[in-house]
Amino acid sequence: IGVDVFFVISGFLITSIIIKDLKAGTFHFGYFLTRRIRRLYPAMLCVLSLYLLAGYFLFLPDDFLELAREVALSQVYVINFYFWRTVDYFGLQADSVPLLHMWSLAVEEQFYIFFPIFCLLIWKKKPSALLPALVLATLASFLLGLVMSSWKPWASFYLLPTRAWELLAGCVLAIVFPR
């Protein structure tokens, strides 16, 4: 539940930033992404480096190679795809995956790539259409998550299309309750 709440809060905060910049006419996608990277990447690199250092001394060679693979995939925010294919989050194996928590950061960063483009395209055509579009996208993602949970539960858990509704719920709240 902590990740779910974090996603809603993140969606709220990001939308507040984007809407403020769109209204002021100062939104720039490259600057937005640069700010996100500057904010998150240094701490992530520090954590990943400490994991690698500890893993070098504590892990067997095959386990260390697996950790190195996960570190590399975490740095480019695609570790959620790898875990979708390899780790049952709710299974016994999950306890032995030290970077399993990185899936949520990958989902969030993937959202940060697509969401501003979505907002910018709608805002340029008709700013008043942004809220209805966000509500529809939220409902679509939620329904997709419901369907996928019983059909492909790991995909539903790890991937952006079925998790976006949580971030989008925060986005909707940011527009409906801007303060």
Side-chain angles (χ1 to χ4, degrees):
I1 291 180
V3 170
D4 303 315
V5 171
F6 173 77
F7 279 165
V8 173
I9 293 169
S10 182
F12 183 92
L13 294 173
I14 282 307
T15 303
S16 299
I17 292 167
I18 291 171
I19 295 297
K20 180 181 73 99
D21 289 350
L22 286 172
K23 285 181 178 177
T26 59
F27 181 80
H28 185 271
F29 182 68
Y31 180 66
F32 171 81
L33 281 183
T34 301
R35 284 190 332 209
R36 298 295 74 166
I37 290 169
R38 273 199 236 151
R39 181 165 165 71
L40 298 172
Y41 217 75
M44 182 186 69
L45 284 180
C46 181
V47 168
L48 294 176
S49 296
L50 290 173
Y51 268 99
L52 277 176
L53 182 64
Y56 180 79
F57 292 106
L58 300 173
F59 288 179
L60 295 171
D62 286 345
D63 294 332
F64 181 72
L65 286 174
E66 176 61 24
L67 177 65
R69 177 183 296 119
E70 291 173 14
V71 164
L73 293 170
S74 293
Q75 289 181 60
V76 292
Y77 300 115
V78 295
I79 191 69
N80 59 324
F81 292 103
Y82 179 70
F83 288 151
W84 158 45
R85 295 294 195 183
T86 61
V87 179
D88 175 1
Y89 188 85
F90 301 103
L92 297 175
Q93 176 194 13
D95 288 341
S96 65
V97 182
L99 292 178
L100 187 57
H101 61 284
M102 295 299 289
W103 74 267
S104 63
L105 186 59
V107 167
E108 182 183 22
E109 291 304 308
Q110 292 160 14
F111 183 79
Y112 289 169
I113 290 170
F114 296 108
F115 179 68
I117 295 168
F118 176 81
C119 288
L120 191 57
L121 291 174
I122 293 172
W123 193 268
K124 283 186 175 186
K125 294 286 184 189
K126 187 176 180 185
S128 64
L130 185 57
L131 180 59
L134 287 174
V135 169
L136 284 173
T138 304
L139 291 173
S141 174
F142 181 77
L143 291 173
L144 181 63
L146 283 178
V147 170
M148 293 292 291
S149 290
S150 59
W151 181 43
K152 299 276 186 182
W154 294 317
S156 181
F157 184 82
Y158 285 118
L159 301 180
L160 176 62
T162 52
R163 285 298 195 146
W165 72 270
E166 295 164 306
L167 290 144
L168 290 166
C171 300
V172 168
L173 290 173
I175 293 174
V176 173
F177 303 108
R179 296 181 190 196

Coordinates of all heavy atoms in Angstrom, one line a residue, residues 5 18 81-82 91 108 143 146:
V5 N 0.2 4.6 -2.4 CA 0.1 5.9 -1.9 C 1.1 6.8 -2.4 O 0.9 8.0 -2.8 CB 0.1 5.9 -0.3 CG1 0.1 7.4 0.2 CG2 -1.1 5.2 0.2
I18 N 3.7 20.6 -13.6 CA 3.5 20.7 -15.0 C 2.4 21.7 -15.3 O 2.6 22.6 -16.2 CB 3.1 19.3 -15.6 CG1 4.3 18.4 -15.6 CG2 2.6 19.4 -17.0 CD1 4.1 17.0 -15.9
F81 N 10.6 -4.4 -16.2 CA 10.4 -5.3 -17.3 C 11.1 -6.6 -17.0 O 10.6 -7.7 -17.2 CB 10.9 -4.8 -18.6 CG 10.0 -3.6 -19.1 CD1 10.5 -2.3 -19.0 CD2 8.8 -3.9 -19.7 CE1 9.7 -1.3 -19.5 CE2 8.0 -2.9 -20.2 CZ 8.5 -1.5 -20.1
Y82 N 12.3 -6.5 -16.4 CA 13.1 -7.7 -16.1 C 12.4 -8.5 -15.0 O 12.3 -9.7 -15.0 CB 14.5 -7.2 -15.7 CG 15.4 -8.4 -15.3 CD1 15.9 -9.3 -16.2 CD2 15.8 -8.5 -14.0 CE1 16.7 -10.3 -15.9 CE2 16.7 -9.6 -13.6 CZ 17.1 -10.5 -14.5 OH 17.9 -11.5 -14.2
G91 N 6.1 -14.3 -4.2 CA 6.6 -15.7 -4.0 C 7.8 -15.7 -3.1 O 8.3 -14.6 -2.6
E108 N 7.7 4.8 -12.1 CA 7.5 6.3 -11.9 C 8.2 7.1 -13.0 O 7.7 8.0 -13.6 CB 8.0 6.7 -10.5 CG 7.8 8.2 -10.3 CD 8.4 8.6 -8.9 OE1 9.2 7.9 -8.4 OE2 7.9 9.6 -8.4
L143 N -9.1 -0.2 -15.3 CA -9.8 -1.4 -15.8 C -8.9 -2.4 -16.4 O -9.0 -3.6 -16.3 CB -10.9 -0.9 -16.9 CG -12.1 -0.2 -16.3 CD1 -12.9 0.4 -17.5 CD2 -12.9 -1.1 -15.4
L146 N -7.4 -4.4 -13.6 CA -8.4 -5.4 -13.2 C -8.4 -6.6 -14.1 O -8.3 -7.7 -13.6 CB -9.8 -4.8 -13.1 CG -10.2 -3.9 -11.9 CD1 -11.6 -3.4 -12.1 CD2 -10.0 -4.6 -10.6

